[in-house]
Amino acid sequence: MIAELGHFALVLALGLALVQSIVPFVGALRNDARLQAVASPAALTQFLFVGLAFAALVHAYVVSDFSLANVVENSHSAKPLLYKVTGVWSNHEGSMLLWVLILALFGALVAAFGANLPDRLKALVLAVQGWIAAAFLLFILTTSNPFLRLANPPLEGNDLNPVLQDIGLAIHPPLLYLGYVGCSISFAFAVAALIEGRIDAAWARWARPWTLAAWMFLTVGIAMGSYWAYYELGWGGFWFWDPVENASLMPWLAATALLHSAVVMEKRDALKIWTVLLAILAFSLSLIGTFLVRSGVLTSVHAFASDPTRGIFILCILVVFIGGALALFAFRAGTLAPGGVFAPISREGALVLNNIFLSAAAATVIVGTLYPLALEALTGTRISVGAPFFNLTFVPLVVPLLAIVPFGPMLAWKRGDLQAAAQRLMLAFGLTLGATIIGADFAGVGTTLPLLGVWLGLWLIAGAIAEIAFRVKLGLAPLDESWRRARGLPRSAYGTALAHAGVGVTVLGIVVATTWATEAIRTMRPGDTVELSGYAVTLNGFVDRTSPDYDETAVQFSVRKGGTIVAVLEPAKRRFATRQTETTEAGIRTFGFSQLYVSLGDIVDNAVTVRVFWKPLVTLIWLGAIVMAAGGLLSLSDRRLRVGAPKQAARRQMAAAE
C-alpha cells in the first residue's frame, strides 16, 4: 500500500510540475501577478510529493518488500541497514528518483528563498525548473517505475552489487547529484533571462550563488568518487579518465568558467553573452553525463548500463532542452549589449583568459569522451581514449591556466598594471621556486615536468596567501591597520583565496603521488617481508571470517619502520554468496599526508600475490578538494552575495519608478 502511495505521489508531482511549468509562464507573458504567484506553491508542493515518493521507496528497502521488482534486484534481507537505504540510489530507477528529488529541492529553495527576485524572473525560473521536472517525472513513470510490483514475489532479494556496499557510494551519489542537478538552476536563470530579454549585472548576482552551491557539491562529489575508486577497486589509482568520470568533470570545468565569467558580468556588466552560454552549457553537460551513464552506450564500473530504450528517451530530453535553449540563445544573442569595455591587461582580461583555458580543457575532455562513442556508432570501430590522449591535450592547457591564476586578483578592474602585479608576487615566486629546488635536491630528483608541477602547486598556495597579504597591506601598513583591513575584507575574498589554495593542494598531491610513488609486487607466504620506501611489510598469516552478508579471507601484515611496528594492515578477499561475487578490500594506512597501500591478488596454497604501494602526499588530492569546497562555502556565506545586490537593484527600480 505504501508503495502505491509513493507511485501516486509521483503522478501528483508530475501534475504539479506541469502546473508549475505552464501557469507561471503564461502569467509572465501576460504580466499577470496572480498567475505568476502560482509558481512558488507549486514548486514547494511538488517537492513535498516527490519527497513522499522517495520516502516510500526507502521504506520498501528498509522492510525488504520483495514484492517490488526494484527491491528484489538490489537488496537482501541480511544486508546492513545502511546499505539497504543506500541501495535506493544504487540502481537506475532509484537514482533517477533521487535525481528528481534534488531537482525539486532546488526549485523549492528558489521558491522559499527567492523573495528578493523580481516576480516575473522568479516565475520564469520556476517555470523552466517545472519543464525539466515534468520531463524527468514522465521518464520515470513511463520507463523507470521503481514501484513496479511482481506477480509472484520471491522470498529473498538478489542483493546489492558488493562493490557498491561501501560508505563512499552511500555519500558520493547524493553529493554528485546536488552538483549535477544544481546546474539546472543556472540553466533556468539563463533561459528565463533570455525569455525576458533582460541580462545584466543584477542577474549575475542572483544566479551566482546557485552556481557556486552546485560547483561546491560537484567538487566534493567528484573527489569522493575518486577516493572510492582508489580504495575500493584495489588498483591503487585515483583517476582513470573513464567516460563516466569524465562526465562529471565536464560540467565541473564549465561551472568553474561560469563562476569566473559571472564575476566579470557582475562587476563590469561585461561578458553577458558568454556567461549565459556557459550557464546553458554547464547543465547541458550534466544532461550529457546523465545520458552516458544511463543509455547503455558505454560500460563502466560507474555506469547503470540501462537499456537503449531509456537512453533514447533521455536523448530526446537532452535534444529538447539543449536545442531549445541554444535556439533561444541564438535568437536573443543579437539583442544583447556587449557591456563594459576593459583593457587586455586587467582583472577582466585575466578572467577571460581563465575562461578560454577552462573551456578549451572542457572541449578536450568532451572530444576524448564522445569521439570513441561516435566512431563506434558511425563505423562500428571500437577504440579507447585514455591517459596518453588527455596527458597530451588536457595537461598543456591546465599548466598555463594554473600559472596565471595568482595574477588575476593582483590586477585592477578595467585597466591593470602587469609589472606591478608581478612585483607583488615576487616574494611568493621566489619562495616557491626555492622550496621546489630544495625539495628536488632533498629527494634527489631532477626531472623537469614533475618539478614544474610541484612548483605550480606551491605557487597557487603562495599566490593565494599573497593576495590576502596584499589586500590587507601586510608589511606595508601598521599591524593594527592590517588587522582592521583583514576584518573588513568580505568573506568572498577569503573564499576565493581558499579555493585557489585548494587547487594548489590538489595539484601538489597529484604530482607527488604519481611521480614519486613506489610499488612492489610479490608472491608472499607467512613470514615473508617486502621492503619499500623505508617500511618493512611482513605477512603474518591468513584469517577467515564470516558475516551475515559475506565470507572473507583477510591477510594480516605487520608494518615496521626502524624495527618498530607502526601499523597492522588486513586487506581481504570477500565472497558474497547471493551474487556469487568476490571483491578485494585494500589495506591502507595513512602516515601524515602519505599512505601505505596493500592490495591482494590470487590466494593459492597458502600464498598470495601482493601489491604494495607507497604513495607520498596522496591524501592532498582529496584534501585539496575539501579546501576548494570550503572556499566556496565561505563565499556563499558572504551576505553581499546572498542578498545585497537584489535589494540594491530593487531600491534602484523603486527610485526609477518614483
Short mmCIF file of all heavy atoms in Angstrom, two decimals, residues 521-552:
data_model
loop_
_atom_site.label_atom_id
_atom_site.label_comp_id
_atom_site.label_asym_id
_atom_site.label_seq_id
_atom_site.Cartn_x
_atom_site.Cartn_y
_atom_site.Cartn_z
N ILE A 521 55.64 -5.78 -6.24
CA ILE A 521 54.70 -6.90 -6.45
C ILE A 521 55.43 -8.19 -6.10
O ILE A 521 56.51 -8.48 -6.65
CB ILE A 521 54.22 -6.94 -7.92
CG1 ILE A 521 53.58 -5.61 -8.32
CG2 ILE A 521 53.22 -8.08 -8.12
CD1 ILE A 521 53.15 -5.54 -9.77
N ARG A 522 54.86 -8.94 -5.18
CA ARG A 522 55.50 -10.17 -4.72
C ARG A 522 54.45 -11.26 -4.52
O ARG A 522 53.29 -10.97 -4.22
CB ARG A 522 56.19 -9.95 -3.37
CG ARG A 522 57.29 -8.92 -3.36
CD ARG A 522 58.59 -9.47 -3.94
NE ARG A 522 59.68 -8.53 -3.67
CZ ARG A 522 59.91 -7.41 -4.37
NH1 ARG A 522 59.10 -7.11 -5.37
NH2 ARG A 522 60.93 -6.63 -4.08
N THR A 523 54.88 -12.50 -4.64
CA THR A 523 54.08 -13.63 -4.15
C THR A 523 54.63 -13.96 -2.77
O THR A 523 55.81 -14.31 -2.62
CB THR A 523 54.20 -14.84 -5.09
OG1 THR A 523 53.68 -14.49 -6.36
CG2 THR A 523 53.41 -16.01 -4.53
N MET A 524 53.78 -13.82 -1.75
CA MET A 524 54.26 -13.92 -0.37
C MET A 524 53.60 -15.07 0.36
O MET A 524 52.44 -15.42 0.10
CB MET A 524 53.99 -12.60 0.37
CG MET A 524 54.67 -11.38 -0.24
SD MET A 524 54.27 -9.84 0.64
CE MET A 524 55.18 -10.10 2.19
N ARG A 525 54.33 -15.63 1.30
CA ARG A 525 53.82 -16.63 2.24
C ARG A 525 54.04 -16.10 3.66
O ARG A 525 54.78 -15.14 3.85
CB ARG A 525 54.56 -17.96 2.06
CG ARG A 525 54.33 -18.62 0.70
CD ARG A 525 55.13 -19.91 0.54
NE ARG A 525 54.90 -20.50 -0.77
CZ ARG A 525 53.85 -21.27 -1.07
NH1 ARG A 525 52.97 -21.59 -0.11
NH2 ARG A 525 53.70 -21.76 -2.27
N PRO A 526 53.39 -16.70 4.66
CA PRO A 526 53.59 -16.23 6.04
C PRO A 526 55.07 -16.17 6.40
O PRO A 526 55.82 -17.13 6.15
CB PRO A 526 52.83 -17.27 6.86
CG PRO A 526 51.74 -17.74 5.95
CD PRO A 526 52.35 -17.76 4.58
N GLY A 527 55.49 -15.03 6.94
CA GLY A 527 56.88 -14.83 7.32
C GLY A 527 57.67 -14.03 6.30
O GLY A 527 58.74 -13.48 6.62
N ASP A 528 57.17 -13.93 5.05
CA ASP A 528 57.88 -13.17 4.02
C ASP A 528 57.75 -11.67 4.27
O ASP A 528 56.74 -11.20 4.80
CB ASP A 528 57.32 -13.49 2.63
CG ASP A 528 57.68 -14.90 2.17
OD1 ASP A 528 58.53 -15.52 2.84
OD2 ASP A 528 57.09 -15.37 1.18
N THR A 529 58.77 -10.92 3.84
CA THR A 529 58.80 -9.46 4.06
C THR A 529 59.13 -8.73 2.76
O THR A 529 59.99 -9.18 2.00
CB THR A 529 59.84 -9.10 5.14
OG1 THR A 529 59.46 -9.71 6.38
CG2 THR A 529 59.93 -7.58 5.33
N VAL A 530 58.45 -7.61 2.55
CA VAL A 530 58.74 -6.73 1.42
C VAL A 530 59.25 -5.41 1.99
O VAL A 530 58.64 -4.83 2.88
CB VAL A 530 57.47 -6.48 0.58
CG1 VAL A 530 57.73 -5.38 -0.46
CG2 VAL A 530 57.04 -7.74 -0.13
N GLU A 531 60.38 -4.95 1.46
CA GLU A 531 60.94 -3.65 1.87
C GLU A 531 60.55 -2.60 0.83
O GLU A 531 60.75 -2.80 -0.38
CB GLU A 531 62.48 -3.74 1.94
CG GLU A 531 63.01 -4.77 2.90
CD GLU A 531 63.04 -4.27 4.34
OE1 GLU A 531 62.84 -3.04 4.51
OE2 GLU A 531 63.28 -5.08 5.25
N LEU A 532 59.97 -1.49 1.29
CA LEU A 532 59.54 -0.45 0.35
C LEU A 532 59.57 0.91 1.02
O LEU A 532 58.90 1.11 2.05
CB LEU A 532 58.12 -0.76 -0.16
CG LEU A 532 57.59 0.16 -1.25
CD1 LEU A 532 58.27 -0.13 -2.57
CD2 LEU A 532 56.07 -0.02 -1.40
N SER A 533 60.34 1.84 0.47
CA SER A 533 60.39 3.23 0.92
C SER A 533 60.59 3.35 2.43
O SER A 533 59.94 4.15 3.10
CB SER A 533 59.12 3.97 0.50
OG SER A 533 59.03 4.05 -0.90
N GLY A 534 61.46 2.51 2.96
CA GLY A 534 61.79 2.58 4.39
C GLY A 534 60.87 1.78 5.28
O GLY A 534 61.06 1.75 6.51
N TYR A 535 59.88 1.13 4.72
CA TYR A 535 58.95 0.31 5.51
C TYR A 535 59.18 -1.17 5.19
O TYR A 535 59.42 -1.53 4.03
CB TYR A 535 57.49 0.67 5.19
CG TYR A 535 57.12 2.06 5.67
CD1 TYR A 535 57.26 3.17 4.83
CD2 TYR A 535 56.63 2.27 6.96
CE1 TYR A 535 56.93 4.44 5.26
CE2 TYR A 535 56.29 3.55 7.40
CZ TYR A 535 56.45 4.63 6.54
OH TYR A 535 56.13 5.88 6.99
N ALA A 536 59.07 -2.02 6.22
CA ALA A 536 59.16 -3.47 6.06
C ALA A 536 57.76 -4.04 6.29
O ALA A 536 57.20 -3.92 7.38
CB ALA A 536 60.15 -4.06 7.06
N VAL A 537 57.21 -4.67 5.25
CA VAL A 537 55.84 -5.19 5.32
C VAL A 537 55.93 -6.71 5.39
O VAL A 537 56.35 -7.36 4.42
CB VAL A 537 55.03 -4.74 4.09
CG1 VAL A 537 53.59 -5.24 4.19
CG2 VAL A 537 55.05 -3.22 3.96
N THR A 538 55.52 -7.28 6.52
CA THR A 538 55.65 -8.72 6.75
C THR A 538 54.28 -9.38 6.79
O THR A 538 53.37 -8.89 7.48
CB THR A 538 56.38 -9.00 8.08
OG1 THR A 538 57.66 -8.36 8.04
CG2 THR A 538 56.56 -10.48 8.31
N LEU A 539 54.15 -10.49 6.04
CA LEU A 539 52.89 -11.24 6.06
C LEU A 539 52.87 -12.13 7.29
O LEU A 539 53.71 -13.04 7.43
CB LEU A 539 52.75 -12.06 4.77
CG LEU A 539 51.37 -12.60 4.44
CD1 LEU A 539 51.24 -12.87 2.95
CD2 LEU A 539 51.03 -13.86 5.22
N ASN A 540 51.88 -11.90 8.17
CA ASN A 540 51.79 -12.70 9.40
C ASN A 540 50.98 -13.97 9.22
O ASN A 540 51.28 -15.01 9.80
CB ASN A 540 51.15 -11.86 10.52
CG ASN A 540 52.00 -10.66 10.88
OD1 ASN A 540 53.22 -10.69 10.73
ND2 ASN A 540 51.36 -9.59 11.31
N GLY A 541 49.89 -13.88 8.42
CA GLY A 541 49.06 -15.08 8.26
C GLY A 541 47.71 -14.75 7.67
O GLY A 541 47.41 -13.60 7.35
N PHE A 542 46.88 -15.80 7.53
CA PHE A 542 45.55 -15.67 6.92
C PHE A 542 44.48 -15.85 7.99
O PHE A 542 44.62 -16.70 8.88
CB PHE A 542 45.37 -16.73 5.82
CG PHE A 542 46.37 -16.61 4.70
CD1 PHE A 542 47.62 -17.23 4.79
CD2 PHE A 542 46.08 -15.88 3.56
CE1 PHE A 542 48.54 -17.12 3.78
CE2 PHE A 542 47.00 -15.77 2.53
CZ PHE A 542 48.24 -16.39 2.63
N VAL A 543 43.42 -15.08 7.89
CA VAL A 543 42.33 -15.16 8.87
C VAL A 543 41.00 -15.26 8.11
O VAL A 543 40.68 -14.39 7.30
CB VAL A 543 42.29 -13.90 9.78
CG1 VAL A 543 41.18 -14.03 10.82
CG2 VAL A 543 43.63 -13.68 10.44
N ASP A 544 40.25 -16.34 8.38
CA ASP A 544 38.93 -16.50 7.75
C ASP A 544 37.85 -15.97 8.69
O ASP A 544 37.86 -16.27 9.88
CB ASP A 544 38.66 -17.97 7.43
CG ASP A 544 39.56 -18.46 6.31
OD1 ASP A 544 39.83 -17.67 5.39
OD2 ASP A 544 40.02 -19.62 6.38
N ARG A 545 36.93 -15.19 8.14
CA ARG A 545 35.84 -14.62 8.94
C ARG A 545 34.52 -14.81 8.20
O ARG A 545 34.50 -14.96 6.96
CB ARG A 545 36.04 -13.11 9.17
CG ARG A 545 37.32 -12.74 9.91
CD ARG A 545 37.26 -11.27 10.31
NE ARG A 545 38.48 -10.84 10.97
CZ ARG A 545 39.43 -10.12 10.41
NH1 ARG A 545 39.29 -9.72 9.14
NH2 ARG A 545 40.52 -9.76 11.06
N THR A 546 33.44 -14.77 8.97
CA THR A 546 32.09 -14.89 8.38
C THR A 546 31.21 -13.79 8.92
O THR A 546 31.25 -13.47 10.11
CB THR A 546 31.47 -16.25 8.76
OG1 THR A 546 32.33 -17.29 8.26
CG2 THR A 546 30.10 -16.41 8.12
N SER A 547 30.43 -13.18 8.04
CA SER A 547 29.44 -12.19 8.45
C SER A 547 28.12 -12.59 7.81
O SER A 547 28.09 -13.45 6.92
CB SER A 547 29.87 -10.79 8.00
OG SER A 547 29.52 -10.59 6.66
N PRO A 548 27.00 -11.96 8.24
CA PRO A 548 25.71 -12.33 7.63
C PRO A 548 25.68 -12.08 6.13
O PRO A 548 24.93 -12.74 5.41
CB PRO A 548 24.71 -11.41 8.37
CG PRO A 548 25.37 -11.07 9.65
CD PRO A 548 26.84 -11.02 9.34
N ASP A 549 26.49 -11.14 5.65
CA ASP A 549 26.42 -10.72 4.25
C ASP A 549 27.45 -11.40 3.36
O ASP A 549 27.23 -11.59 2.17
CB ASP A 549 26.62 -9.19 4.19
CG ASP A 549 25.89 -8.59 3.00
OD1 ASP A 549 24.99 -9.26 2.46
OD2 ASP A 549 26.21 -7.47 2.62
N TYR A 550 28.61 -11.76 3.96
CA TYR A 550 29.70 -12.32 3.14
C TYR A 550 30.66 -13.12 4.02
O TYR A 550 30.67 -13.01 5.24
CB TYR A 550 30.46 -11.18 2.44
CG TYR A 550 31.02 -10.15 3.39
CD1 TYR A 550 32.22 -10.35 4.08
CD2 TYR A 550 30.34 -8.95 3.62
CE1 TYR A 550 32.72 -9.41 4.95
CE2 TYR A 550 30.83 -7.99 4.49
CZ TYR A 550 32.02 -8.23 5.16
OH TYR A 550 32.51 -7.31 6.04
N ASP A 551 31.51 -13.91 3.35
CA ASP A 551 32.65 -14.56 3.99
C ASP A 551 33.90 -13.88 3.46
O ASP A 551 33.93 -13.44 2.31
CB ASP A 551 32.69 -16.05 3.63
CG ASP A 551 31.47 -16.79 4.15
OD1 ASP A 551 30.93 -16.38 5.20
OD2 ASP A 551 31.06 -17.75 3.49
N GLU A 552 34.94 -13.82 4.30
CA GLU A 552 36.16 -13.18 3.81
C GLU A 552 37.39 -13.91 4.32
O GLU A 552 37.39 -14.54 5.39
CB GLU A 552 36.22 -11.71 4.22
CG GLU A 552 36.54 -11.46 5.68
CD GLU A 552 36.80 -9.98 5.97
OE1 GLU A 552 36.49 -9.13 5.11
OE2 GLU A 552 37.31 -9.68 7.07
#
